Amino acid sequence: MKITSARLIICSPDRNFVTLKIETDEGIYGLGDATLNGRELAVASYLSEHVCPCLIGRDPSQIEDIWQYLYRGAYWRRGPVTMTAIAAVDVALWDIKGKALNTPVYNLLGGKSRDGVMVYAHANGRDIDETVDSVRKEMELGYIAVRAQSGIPGMSGTYGVPKGTKAYEPAERGLPSESLWSSERYLRAAPKLFERLRVELGEDVHLLHDVHHRLTPIEAARLGKALEPANLFWMEDPVPAELQEGFKLIREHTTTPIATGEVFNSFWDAHDLIRNQWIDYLRMTIVHGGGLTALKKAADFAAIYHVRTGCHGATDLSPVTMAAALHFGLSIHNFGVQEHMRHSALTDAVFPHEYTFSAGYMYPGDKPGLGVDIDETLAAKYPYERAYLPLARKLDGTLTDW
């Protein structure tokens, strides 16, 4: 079998997606997600100009060799654009291999390690009352793990809280917007939210919370300690991870589990965090971390240090990545939880898929390959529209981490 074409499908069914379709001389094709939120066209250009021409004529079964070729052969390694492009190729090749061997991808990764993949939903509100109601609604839908975010008193907008009645979607059409942030007000408000949630909803539901890189290490340590009575499943991205030693300070002051890594694009971004046991969950996603080949190696390394996975799964990742994440989560031993932001009905129509949700768990299905496809005719009706993630400034106007 040889690769005969590799082409991109760029569409925007409620949000932007870049999909790589690799076709072979035996009529088998595979799909890979190449979406990088707010920088989609940069990855598309990298693929079309530099990667796709190098794939033609290659044996698609040589997944490891092609991965190394794209990683080492470029000389300029890593970075979100490069690793997203590599991931798109890698996932498409696993999809092809599964179809060629007539088996789901999870069987190629070692087979099932569990019956289903526990996922967590997102719940949010303008205030604590709304967030409590939102968490309750997600529980009624069957979720047993829920991430909770709430508006902050005195702040007009807060991360994770939608502006209107639609589901929360961070990417906004047009140029980046700006919002205000106060760590001091947030640190006073967040513990009150989780105290209420436990009082009203009990101890059985797994509660998660995303800090979104907005604190200093000592502030994050203070928050983690304050949240200990609520017994969180995790506190996510408490600080920016460029300074990995910052997590050491947090770890020394709280037993609240720590998750990070959704912005990581290489195992090396997490190397010290894992080997020093400064985190409990690795959030790196398949699409930005170099694909299934790279994530499998990262998970195996993490397992040595009792670190589990919790892959990013927001709506900026297409159903192709969700399918890949479910095959991955089903197969590895040290799986923790999978994020699940539900795609819109239009996105699901453009990307018909086999995966399903039931009673807190998702299942990739048993169709050969990934079990996801793309309706190119429907996708063509929704062309790319410029969209960006917002920015954040402190009350005095200082630009801070969003």
Side-chain angles (χ1 to χ4, degrees):
M1 188 187 303
K2 299 293 182 185
I3 296 172
T4 55
S5 73
R7 55 189 177 87
L8 297 171
I9 304 161
I10 303 172
C11 61
S12 190
D14 290 331
R15 67 152 346 278
N16 294 321
F17 297 110
V18 179
T19 305
L20 175 67
K21 187 172 187 177
I22 297 179
E23 298 169 304
T24 70
D25 58 1
E26 295 188 10
I28 299 174
Y29 64 86
L31 299 180
D33 184 10
T35 307
L36 182 61
N37 203 355
R39 296 295 185 271
E40 296 92 348
L41 298 186
V43 183
S45 177
Y46 189 93
L47 280 164
S48 62
E49 298 296 329
H50 305 293
V51 174
C52 290
C54 297
L55 298 176
I56 307 305
R58 293 187 178 276
D59 180 351
S61 69
Q62 305 302 314
I63 298 175
E64 178 71 24
D65 184 68
I66 291 175
W67 194 96
Q68 298 294 343
Y69 176 89
L70 296 176
Y71 181 80
R72 299 177 187 275
Y75 187 72
W76 308 107
R77 301 182 184 184
R78 302 170 59 185
V81 172
T82 295
M83 298 306 289
T84 300
I86 292 175
V89 174
D90 185 77
V91 170
L93 296 181
W94 283 104
D95 193 21
I96 289 172
K97 179 166 283 193
K99 292 173 180 176
L101 297 176
N102 195 34
T103 192
V105 166
Y106 67 75
N107 275 338
L108 305 179
L109 301 175
K112 293 182 180 180
S113 286
R114 56 195 49 79
D115 295 327
V117 177
M118 185 174 75
V119 296
Y120 69 88
H122 285 208
N124 41 59
R126 289 169 295 182
D127 55 31
I128 291 178
D129 288 337
E130 281 194 5
T131 301
V132 172
D133 288 341
S134 182
V135 173
R136 185 179 287 110
K137 289 176 182 177
E138 297 301 327
M139 293 172 64
E140 290 171 353
L141 290 175
Y143 288 94
I144 58 177
V146 183
R147 193 193 83 168
Q149 309 290 138
S150 174
I152 300 171
M155 304 293 294
S156 58
T158 305
Y159 166 75
V161 179
K163 295 180 180 179
T165 57
K166 293 184 178 180
Y168 177 66
E169 169 54 63
E172 300 171 343
R173 303 296 189 186
L175 297 177
S177 64
E178 295 189 10
S179 60
L180 291 178
W181 175 255
S182 169
S183 296
E184 295 79 11
R185 296 180 184 181
Y186 165 72
L187 286 168
R188 291 196 296 267
K192 297 175 182 177
L193 166 64
F194 287 94
E195 181 180 13
R196 271 283 301 281
L197 286 170
R198 283 302 183 207
V199 168
E200 298 203 20
L201 302 180
E203 296 291 333
D204 290 339
V205 61
H206 297 300
L207 294 176
L208 303 84
H209 181 64
D210 189 358
V211 183
H212 224 251
H213 321 103
R214 296 191 175 198
L215 300 178
T216 65
I218 197 64
E219 290 171 339
R222 171 185 162 194
L223 176 63
K225 194 170 186 64
L227 292 174
E228 284 177 9
N231 190 27
L232 261 63
F233 189 93
W234 76 36
M235 173 176 67
E236 178 184 339
D237 288 337
V239 296
E242 288 92 339
L243 179 64
Q244 296 194 13
E245 289 90 342
F247 286 81
K248 178 176 184 288
L249 188 150
I250 302 170
R251 175 66 92 197
E252 290 172 343
H253 287 81
T254 181
T255 57
T256 295
I258 301 168
T260 197
E262 74 177 56
V263 299
F264 293 176
N265 55 77
S266 166
F267 154 78
W268 295 106
D269 293 327
H271 179 257
D272 288 347
L273 293 172
I274 292 171
R275 71 181 183 87
N276 288 305
Q277 301 181 68
W278 292 336
I279 62 172
D280 302 280
Y281 295 91
L282 177 63
R283 295 261 298 134
M284 192 162 65
T285 176
I286 289 165
V287 66
H288 301 146
L292 286 164
T293 297
L295 261 291
K296 183 66 165 63
K297 294 174 181 177
D300 288 342
F301 178 77
I304 299 172
Y305 297 95
H306 307 288
V307 174
R308 290 176 283 182
T309 65
C311 291
H312 181 55
T315 49
D316 60 313
L317 314 178
S318 88
V320 176
T321 290
M322 175 54 73
L326 294 175
H327 284 274
F328 174 72
L330 196 68
S331 64
I332 63 168
H333 180 261
N334 58 320
F335 168 79
V337 71
Q338 170 63 48
E339 181 178 16
H340 181 218
M341 283 184 73
R342 297 183 290 273
H343 287 110
S344 71
L346 179 56
T347 294
D348 284 338
V350 170
F351 295 92
H353 51 263
E354 292 295 309
Y355 60 76
T356 57
F357 170 82
S358 177
Y361 294 84
M362 290 186 73
Y363 306 86
D366 296 320
K367 191 172 182 179
L370 292 174
V372 64
D373 210 336
I374 184 167
D375 184 333
E376 296 191 53
T377 301
L378 183 58
K381 296 180 180 180
Y382 302 95
Y384 168 85
E385 296 182 50
R386 185 188 301 274
Y388 287 99
L389 295 171
L391 306 174
R393 292 185 184 274
K394 296 181 180 179
L395 298 181
D396 66 358
T398 304
L399 192 72
T400 188
D401 294 289
W402 180 77

